Amino acid sequence: MDVIATHSNADFDGLASMVAARKLYPGAKLVLPAGSQEAVRNFLSVHDLDLNKLKDLDLAQITKLILVDTQEPSRIGALASCLESPAVEVVVFDHHIESDSTCAGRSKQSVVDSVGATTTLLIEQLQRRHIPVTPFEATVMALGLYEETGSFTFASTTGREFKAGAFLVEAGADLNLVSATLYTPLDPDAVALLNDLLEQGEVLYLEGRKVLVSTSTIDRCRGEAAGVVHRLAELQGVDAVLVAVMMADRVEVIGRSRRPEIDVGWIAREFQGGGHAVAASATVKGQTLSEVKEKVVQLLTTHYRPTLLAQDVMTRPVKAIEIDTTVAEAGQRMTAYGLNVFPLLDEKDRYAGIVSRESIQKALFHRLGKMAVRDIMQTDAYIAQPETSFHEIETAMIERSQRCVPIVKEAKVVGVITRTDLLRTLHDDVLKTARTRLIQSSDAETETGRPHRNVKGLLRSRLPHRLVTLLEEAGHIADRCEVSLFVVGGCVRDLLLGIHNLDLDLVVEGDGIAFARKLGDVFEARVKVHERFGTAMVLLPDGFKLDVATARTEYYEYPTALPTVEHGSIKKDLYRRDFTINALAVRLNGKGVGDVQDFYGGQRDLNDKVIRVLHGLSFVEDPTRVLRAIRFETRFGFHLGKDTTALIAGAVKMNLFHRLSGHRLLEELKLIFSEREPRQSIKRMADLGLLRFIHPKLSWSDRLDRLLAALEEAVDWYRLLYLDRTMDVWLVYLMALVEVLPERAVRDVLKRFPLSEQEATKLKLGRVGCHNMIRQLASKRSLKPAEVYRLLSGLSDETLLLLMAKSKGEMAKRQVSAFLTTYQHVKPSITGSDLKAMGLKPGPQFKRILEQLLGARLNGELKTEAEERQLVERLIQPGFHS
């Protein structure tokens, strides 16, 4: 017997999940093992879901137990005894991943994932198996989905809930019934409870969040208490609510949070309850209401720090400079005042941005002392208000590696918080005397440091086992060599994004080349060394390549130059990277194996989907980073940060791209044009004024847009057709750009970019030869296959794809498609060797016969080798003319 059950005091998510699970397990019996909430009971009194009473079941007959919205034995009543039997298969569907229960491991069919509602997980299973649902079933599932996500407003809601909701609406869910069931007016008892909780409530300010803690002895609306707590959170506008309500012989603890940072699920579990970060509850016996409240407050104030405000610790008055101040003068003032950062003010003394000593020094190094600081200022720096919590500022400074935070009120800079202020404020004496917003617990802890994340599990789950073993052994070798080892860059970025990437780059704080040689000895691998840059490539016996580098810093002798490299720390090594999302590392040895090293806010920018440079002169030092920014923006669906966009505009204004060598620019263009959606990147280049650096006359137009769109379709078609065939996609797009330029521009492009002779020939042929071919292919006279073959034979695949894209008529496209898919693969059965065996001597006649055989084959005039031989016999007869 199969049984489907949910947790005690079942809510609509539990009930809806049971109904959905029965679609997956037809014939299973639905059971509420330990009661349900009043709203669920009221719904079931009107709508029959064919539920079974637990007392009517013979538990010994159960062979499969499907648990939904729970995996806690303590929350399924008498059914918990089934978990002790090895003969019972236990399947779990639950969105509470923090549970310590091992029930989910009893079956491979179990699905436990962090989404907004368990109903979502079941709907996804139905969709995968193409199982239809009735309008009423869809309505029940919608009740669970809407209740558990607060109608898609809770912070725990994910995009998957919206997709599940769309599925239910399309299946005919009655949203009027959902609304009438979930959003009923409060009855008098519920109103009395709400008023009591409002009167007894106390607001705590914790880490910049408002948390309401309240108690009540009104127990007349037991089933409605959860709904009242939700209304209380909305009414008070707080970030979280934790209430304790006395219910006869027990105390019910109910929590709701609109911010996952305030984890009410953790509080509930401390009382042996359950739930998740934004909704949880617990039943407490043997403690008074006052004891429960005291413990709730103690847990909150121990785990979350009290709030200290910016105005309590900021430095004032502020020294600032105007945005028109020259770089040279700003540097002199910094030295005179002993400052490392200046806030910048506009003509009306309003805050405009900041400039750092490092940016000033870089600009002076590049002899840009007469430039105004407005051209290198940082406009997207984190700023705060006097009422901003100190903890929020502390976190922002560490995540962004920002040494100074301007405190702004009504556009005026009223103070600053520097790193010195940060360190001083973290001192215990200052914390004790500062003005806080609540009485602190004596056991309160202070935790500082950049956001901690360990990805050891991600490495093991997303990398092949052999590479995990390789990295672990490399870590052991680093321990023996007493150096610190990290995997860095794109691999870490893609690991966090869930993208497949096996290009492993290792960085060593120490001698990277010596470490690479150690790796080579252990793995019997070849090692290729580049002494100048302190890098090496380890070539493993199975062909896998591993790049190893010494942690280094770099500087540029002049704008657009190649960097000069010196040894440095992992922090300095990451600072020389192009963007924050690429300035990430994972430690592979020592204490904290698997810890993410994020000094510059890369994780935040991944979450915000933003491309951001690490300093204001990044594009001055290396303009090719602009093209990389566009490439990553398109590839990941990210957007350029406001400050980064402004810096690109500055680099374009300075004409730095003209000083780049054609080789460096071409290499970056190759990468952009080889992406999946080059047209979008080219349009972005046009928006940023970059196309003129390919050629002064190149600009965006409707004609170019149409050509690139057609080319994308042709390339996608080609990739599907030839999975194992390579082609220079980048060259096709370069040919398309040249296509819209004047004739003379082709020579300019060939002079600017160092194309190979073969690449240059393809580019010129695409520019000159395609027009005549398109005209012939689109001819009203239907061409025979042999004629198409003779016309297109010998053209490169790149030229053929451009031909397809340029063809406005379907006829020409079909002819090129037929050539690529069929005609070019046709061969006569008879070969040159066969002709020799027939007594023919190689010569002009030899070639003509083979061509006529091929033409007849292409046109369908010959089908067998015998027919081919008959044709040859006719062709070699004296006086015969084909």
Side-chain angles (χ1 to χ4, degrees), residues 523-526 539-544:
F523 293 108
E524 299 181 351
R526 289 169 43 223
L539 304 171
L540 298 175
D542 62 359
F544 187 78

Side-chain angles (χ1 to χ4, degrees), residues 380-382 395-402 599-601 604:
D380 66 345
Y382 172 82
T395 301
M397 291 180 74
I398 293 171
E399 285 186 354
R400 295 170 177 259
S401 193
Q402 187 171 323
F599 301 98
Y600 308 109
R604 182 194 68 243

Side-chain angles (χ1 to χ4, degrees), residues 860-875:
E861 298 164 0
L862 302 177
K863 307 231 182 265
T864 65
E865 183 178 341
E867 291 176 343
E868 289 183 10
R869 288 185 176 276
Q870 290 174 6
L871 177 58
V872 172
E873 293 291 346
R874 290 199 304 272
L875 291 174

Side-chain angles (χ1 to χ4, degrees), residues 469 471-481 485 515 588-589:
T469 302
L471 293 180
E472 290 176 347
E473 183 57 33
H476 297 324
I477 296 172
D479 285 334
R480 293 195 292 271
C481 295
L485 179 66
F515 178 77
L588 295 180
N589 74 312

